[in-house]
Amino acid sequence: MKRYFEFSDSKSHKFWQIAVDGSNCTVSYGKIGTAGQEKVSSYDSPERALKEAEKLIGEKTRKGYVEKESASEKKHARRIVVSYDEAEAGKTLLEKVQAFVDSPQAAEVSALVIGAWETPYEQDPQAGLDYLCEHSARLPNLKELFVGDMDSEECEISWIIQGDYTRLFAAFPQLERLHIKGSTGLVLSQQPLEHAHLKALTIECGGLPQSIIQTITGARLPNLEFLNLYLGVEDYGFNAALEDLQPFMDGTLFPRLKYLALADSELADQIAEAIAEAPVLDSIETLDLSKGTLSDKGAEALLASSKIRRLQRLDLHYHYLSNEMMARLKKELDLVLDVSEQQAPDEDEDEDCCWRYPAVTE
C-alpha cells in the first residue's frame, strides 16, 4: 500500500507520503519539489502496520492534506527584496522588478515573493506592481504572488504602505494565490472584483479597513478555497462592524471555500457567537479564529453549536481561554483542535477591568 498527499495554503506547499511493506511503515514528507525526509517504523504484524497507516492518514486529511495520484511539479520561485544597504545606495523596487521581468528566467517562475522595498513605511510598491501588470505576458506561469514579506525589523506590519491591486487580477488571469501583508493605503480593487482561478487570498495586517472587507464580500471568486483575513484593531485601520463580516458566514459567497479565517480580532467573542450556527459551517473544513481575544464567552457559543462538530479543524491558538474551557474543548470536540498560546489579560486596578489584545496589531 502506498498513498501520496499534499497540503497547500498561502505559505506552505508540502507533501506527505506513506507506504506499507509487510510490517514496515515508511513515511516521507517535506516541501513539494524536494526529496524531503523519511521515517521508517516497524510493527509486530502487517495488520498493525496497516492500522497505524490508516490512523496517520486520518490525521493528515483532518489537517487539510489532499490525496493525489502523483506529485505536483516543482515550483520555480523568486524573491525580490531591496536591502537596507541597497536602499541607501539608491536602488529601487522598480529597478529590481524590471531586471527580473526582463530576464529569461521570468517565464519559468510560478511563485513570486516581494519583500521589503526601499522605504516601505513611506512609499508603496506601486511602480513595481504596475510594471508586473504591464509585462504580464513575460510571466505566463505566475500562479502565486506575495507582496510585503518583511519582518518587524524591516517594517512594522501596520506601517507598511501598500498599493492598488486593481490591474493585477486582469493582468494575471491564471493567478491562484495572492498574499498581501500590510493594509495602509491598500486598494484591492476599484471595480467589482472577479477572478476565475484565484484559490487562496490572505491579507495579513494590523487593521483591515471596511472598504477591503466590502470588496471581498462583493467579489466573484468561484474557485476560492482558502480565505485568511487578519481583522486587527481600530487604532491600525479596522473600522468595520460585525454586520460587515456576516456575508462570510452566510455560506453563499464562495462555493468552494474550505478554509475560513477571521483572525487577529478584538471582536473574537462576537464572531464566535455569530458564526457558531452559521450556514458556512456546513461546507468549510477549517474555521480559524486564532490570534484574537477569544474568551470563555465565545468558546461557550462554539461548544453549544452542532455545526462546529462537522468541522475537520478548529484553530483557536493565541486566546484568552481558561484552563477549564480548554479542557472542555479538548474533551467535547472530536476534531483537530489548536488551543496553544494561552494568554493572560492585563489587569487595570485603577479602572477595575482587564484588557485583551490580538496577537498582531503594530
Side-chain angles (χ1 to χ4, degrees), residues 124-260:
D124 58 42
Q126 197 64 53
L129 291 175
D130 287 345
Y131 196 86
L132 286 174
C133 294
E134 291 161 7
H135 299 86
S136 58
R138 300 181 190 176
L139 302 165
N141 291 307
L142 187 66
K143 290 182 171 60
E144 303 177 31
L145 178 63
F146 182 177
V147 182
D149 182 27
M150 58 189 91
D151 59 29
S152 59
E153 291 187 1
E154 294 170 301
C155 188
E156 295 286 358
I157 189 169
S158 293
W159 299 2
I160 298 172
I161 308 297
Q162 269 293 346
D164 185 339
Y165 288 74
T166 303
R167 299 174 61 190
L168 186 85
F169 299 100
F172 294 97
Q174 76 278 25
L175 192 70
E176 294 182 358
R177 302 180 183 279
L178 177 61
H179 187 151
I180 299 170
K181 190 170 185 179
S183 62
T184 301
L186 174 64
V187 176
L188 197 57
S189 181
Q190 296 187 50
Q191 56 197 34
L193 175 55
E194 294 188 26
H195 199 282
H197 291 97
L198 194 68
K199 294 181 178 180
L201 175 62
T202 295
I203 302 180
E204 191 177 346
C205 63
L208 193 64
Q210 182 189 54
S211 59
I212 302 299
I213 294 171
Q214 291 176 343
T215 296
I216 298 170
T217 55
R220 185 175 179 274
L221 304 171
N223 280 294
L224 193 71
E225 300 173 357
F226 181 98
L227 180 61
N228 185 2
L229 301 179
Y230 285 49
L231 301 178
V233 299
E234 184 178 355
D235 286 346
Y236 292 103
F238 179 75
N239 59 353
L242 185 64
E243 51 263 34
D244 295 304
L245 305 175
Q246 193 62 51
F248 295 121
M249 306 180 197
D250 292 342
T252 58
L253 281 183
F254 310 119
R256 297 200 174 193
L257 193 68
K258 297 300 178 186
Y259 186 112
L260 174 62

Side-chain angles (χ1 to χ4, degrees), residues 62 287 294 298-316 321 325-339:
R62 284 194 296 271
L287 176 63
L294 187 72
E300 284 284 4
L302 297 177
L303 274 176
S305 166
S306 59
K307 290 180 180 287
I308 286 291
R309 288 161 172 77
R310 300 174 186 172
L311 295 172
Q312 294 183 10
R313 185 167 184 263
L314 179 61
D315 189 347
L316 305 177
L321 303 177
M325 178 56 70
M326 290 169 61
R328 284 184 60 194
L329 288 165
K330 292 175 183 179
K331 180 180 179 180
E332 297 181 31
L333 296 181
D334 183 20
L335 44 70
V336 177
L337 174 68
D338 188 346
V339 287

Side-chain angles (χ1 to χ4, degrees), residues 78 98-109 138-141:
R78 179 70 178 269
Q98 288 175 330
F100 159 65
V101 171
D102 296 342
S103 70
Q105 294 77 26
E108 300 177 355
V109 170
R138 300 181 190 176
L139 302 165
N141 291 307

Side-chain angles (χ1 to χ4, degrees), residues 76-144:
H76 293 272
R78 179 70 178 269
R79 189 172 193 271
I80 299 174
V81 61
V82 180
S83 70
Y84 178 81
D85 290 339
E86 287 176 323
E88 286 288 291
K91 199 75 172 178
T92 67
L93 176 64
L94 177 58
E95 291 174 325
K96 287 212 157 186
V97 169
Q98 288 175 330
F100 159 65
V101 171
D102 296 342
S103 70
Q105 294 77 26
E108 300 177 355
V109 170
S110 59
L112 177 62
V113 176
I114 296 178
W117 44 94
E118 44 272 32
T119 49
Y121 46 86
E122 292 181 343
Q123 65 186 86
D124 58 42
Q126 197 64 53
L129 291 175
D130 287 345
Y131 196 86
L132 286 174
C133 294
E134 291 161 7
H135 299 86
S136 58
R138 300 181 190 176
L139 302 165
N141 291 307
L142 187 66
K143 290 182 171 60
E144 303 177 31

Side-chain angles (χ1 to χ4, degrees), residues 266 268-269 292-296 318 320 344-346 354-358:
E266 56 188 353
D269 281 342
T293 59
L294 187 72
S295 72
D296 286 10
Y318 188 100
Y320 291 82
D346 288 344
C354 295
W355 299 95
R356 294 178 286 143
Y357 307 96

